[in-house]
Amino acid sequence: MKQDMILIFDLGCTENARVARAVRALGVYSEIHPYDLAQSEMEKMPNVRGIILNGGPNRVVNGAAIDAPAWVYTCGLPLFAVDHPAVENDLPAWPEDDQTIAECLRPFVFDVCNAQANWSMENFIEDQVALIRRRVGDKKVLLALSGGVDSSVVAALLIKAIGRQLVCVHVNHGLLRQGEPEQVVQVFREEMNADLVYVDAVDRFLDKLENVADPEQKRKIIGAEFIRVFEEEARKLEGIDFLAQGTIYPDILESGTKTAAVVKSHHNTGGLPDDLKFELVEPISQLFKDEVRACGLALGLPASMVYRQPFPGPGLGVRCTGAITRDRLEAVRHSDAILREEFANAGLDQTVWQYFTVVPDFKSTGVRDGARCYDWPVIIRAVNTVDAMTAEVEELSWPLMHKITNRILAEVKGVNRVLVDISPKPPATIEWE
Ligand code: XMP
């Protein structure tokens, strides 16, 4: 391992991730661990240079204040202890902006711990490649490659480490955006020489979804069918010992700590049946999202893949509301492609967090070529958010809305109206289903 490391012990602080990011912003790798980490675990970690004992409002557990184990105080590593205020004082544990946190920690990290600022993507990749090779040996690894940022970066990292010992399975469920399955095949099979199994499951998914109008039911069908298809492919392959996953650091941090309640459960393991026993490989599980993107770029993935906007697992299925029909799904896919192209032309693809179109399952009257038509509307949605828990609508200019509207009305079959959804979240959610 090349990188020096600062450990953050979670003693009930609610801002561990910001502190870890601040240390990384100084160029030094950092990891968050529970307050009662065993000394033997710490000793397995290379190049630990110091420990931050990060106390905070959750420090009292079951009526008693928690503390780090005795070995921490005698192990000889430099310690930086933070204990601030009880909740009722309503004071923040750390300064408001991340830059100030980094500056607070700079003297400790460099002058007291003598850490080297050697946390870089190149060193991270080199370390991970060595770790993966050591762990996997000559065995094979399976990866469900959706084409999203996280699974794509994991694929690129594993290809660098073990080449064709990685088997990628890309399931096209028919609910992907225009050009996505083709890009996955082009980038990974053609350009990176990956062993890629492409599964065309379009009919299978759309047949299962026929006449299913309930949004929750649709999601369940898509999720369960995905596992089934992936499992079938996994059974066809021989000699696979490992399953790779695109778990990232926020997934782990959000699944709860010993001092904080669970935010959302972390269920990346995908619900595969018990008799398919794999060891997990999660090589980007210590990276924050911006670091995942930097890793992807450093591995040579195209920017269009690395800076892809968030896309829900059920794909366009939640944007073709009610019971999905193939022609209406094509209207969603085609209008989404036009919207993405025009946002890119206007430079908005760099600034707007998420933007897409929805085609609802109702029609309205219009007139085309002198005759009555009865067609669907297309709804445009463009939002900005920090954490997807709340969202504000992007204010689009009229000329841009006109341009997108004219193109959709001229090019997308079966559409005679364009609407813009200007509802914030809450009360609306970002997606329509
Ligand atoms: P909502 O609609 O709940 O969406 O405001 C918040 C964010 O989550 C995305 N989203 C999903 N992502 N699987 C995912 O991986 C899903 O089932 C799913 N549903 C919503 C949505 O696109 C938005 O970014």
Side-chain angles (χ1 to χ4, degrees):
M1 278 289 222
K2 288 183 174 299
Q3 296 149 176
D4 283 355
M5 164 149 54
I6 301 289
L7 294 186
I8 295 163
F9 276 42
D10 173 17
L11 277 143
C13 184
T14 50
E15 296 177 297
N16 294 301
R18 290 183 66 214
V19 177
R21 290 184 61 81
V23 176
R24 291 186 190 189
L26 293 170
V28 179
Y29 183 60
S30 64
E31 281 185 7
I32 304 161
H33 287 274
Y35 66 91
D36 55 356
L37 183 80
Q39 186 167 11
S40 56
E41 287 300 311
M42 191 279 287
E43 284 168 356
K44 286 186 209 154
M45 300 173 197
N47 306 349
V48 176
R49 299 287 179 229
I51 296 175
I52 296 171
L53 299 173
N54 206 17
N58 295 332
R59 205 181 146 198
V60 175
V61 175
N62 296 331
I66 51 172
D67 201 352
W71 69 262
V72 170
Y73 296 98
T74 56
C75 69
L77 284 169
L79 300 179
F80 185 105
V82 184
D83 203 7
H84 290 306
V87 184
E88 58 267 22
N89 287 349
D90 203 23
L91 291 169
W94 285 93
E96 284 289 320
D97 76 294
D98 296 354
Q99 184 68 33
T100 312
I101 299 181
E103 290 315 314
C104 283
L105 290 169
R106 183 185 290 279
F108 172 70
V109 170
F110 294 116
D111 303 338
V112 181
C113 301
N114 288 317
Q116 300 290 311
N118 54 10
W119 158 244
S120 70
M121 243 343 119
E122 286 66 31
N123 286 346
F124 171 81
I125 291 170
E126 212 175 297
D127 283 347
Q128 284 303 320
V129 164
L131 281 174
I132 293 165
R133 284 187 184 150
R134 203 175 320 139
R135 177 133 183 255
V136 171
D138 58 1
K139 304 270 180 15
K140 285 193 158 188
V141 181
L142 180 66
L143 171 72
L145 177 59
S146 67
V149 182
D150 303 339
S151 68
S152 297
V153 173
V154 169
L157 195 50
L158 282 155
I159 290 166
K160 187 175 172 75
I162 56 168
R164 292 179 69 90
Q165 283 166 254
L166 172 73
V167 183
C168 302
V169 175
H170 178 65
V171 178
N172 180 0
H173 54 27
L175 304 167
L176 297 170
R177 287 169 292 195
Q178 189 167 294
E180 269 182 343
E182 293 83 356
Q183 188 187 34
V184 169
V185 171
Q186 171 65 27
V187 169
F188 290 99
R189 189 184 279 166
E190 308 299 330
E191 293 168 23
M192 301 183 104
N193 190 29
D195 184 354
L196 172 71
V197 180
Y198 171 81
V199 187
D200 180 346
V202 175
D203 287 337
R204 186 170 165 164
F205 275 82
L206 297 186
D207 288 351
K208 277 252 169 208
L209 288 165
E210 205 174 335
N211 299 322
V212 181
D214 178 66
E216 287 310 304
Q217 192 66 15
K218 283 165 66 178
R219 276 173 186 275
K220 277 196 194 123
I221 290 172
I222 296 166
E225 198 60 14
F226 186 87
I227 301 286
R228 219 165 289 141
V229 173
F230 187 67
E231 181 201 326
E232 282 171 22
E233 294 304 319
R235 284 190 202 284
K236 284 187 212 159
L237 301 162
E238 304 222 321
I240 304 256
D241 289 86
F242 294 90
L243 181 71
Q245 303 233 60
T247 312
I248 69 171
Y249 214 19
D251 297 333
I252 292 177
L253 300 177
E254 283 173 11
S255 65
T257 67
K258 288 187 176 167
T259 60
V262 171
V263 179
K264 68 176 179 191
S265 60
H266 163 57
H267 53 87
N268 233 354
T269 41
L272 286 174
D274 284 344
D275 64 326
L276 279 177
K277 288 209 187 330
F278 297 113
E279 276 187 59
L280 287 184
V281 181
E282 299 180 302
I284 56 169
S285 63
Q286 293 294 331
L287 297 186
F288 291 102
K289 194 76 181 190
D290 55 325
E291 295 168 339
V292 174
R293 295 190 209 278
C295 183
L297 288 178
L299 287 162
L301 291 178
S304 60
M305 197 168 240
V306 163
Y307 287 103
R308 178 167 282 185
Q309 50 170 322
F311 189 58
L316 301 181
V318 291
R319 298 173 184 171
C320 185
T321 69
I324 298 169
T325 58
R326 288 173 194 244
D327 47 3
R328 201 154 52 84
L329 183 60
E330 277 322 303
V332 181
R333 198 179 338 258
H334 193 171
S335 56
D336 173 74
I338 292 172
L339 184 79
R340 285 194 288 143
E341 200 180 310
E342 291 304 331
F343 265 48
N345 288 341
L348 291 175
D349 58 331
Q350 309 288 323
T351 57
V352 181
W353 197 80
Q354 198 174 17
Y355 45 96
F356 54 85
T357 59
V358 175
V359 180
D361 55 345
F362 58 81
K363 292 185 170 181
S364 72
T365 304
V367 58
R368 179 176 282 124
D369 301 329
R372 178 188 186 274
C373 62
Y374 191 56
D375 287 331
W376 302 299
V378 163
I379 299 158
I380 293 173
R381 185 127 174 88
V383 297
N384 293 307
T385 175
V386 174
D387 55 10
M389 303 296 284
T390 62
E392 299 297 331
V393 171
E394 169 77 13
E395 287 187 22
L396 300 175
S397 73
W398 280 102
L400 180 66
M401 284 195 282
H402 277 301
K403 192 166 180 211
I404 294 168
T405 300
N406 290 340
R407 277 198 64 189
I408 289 175
L409 293 178
E411 297 172 36
V412 182
K413 236 175 126 200
V415 170
N416 65 357
R417 254 173 231 278
V418 175
L419 317 174
V420 179
D421 178 357
I422 60 164
S423 327
K425 174 180 180 175
T429 51
I430 295 175
E431 303 288 348
W432 267 51
E433 285 192 335

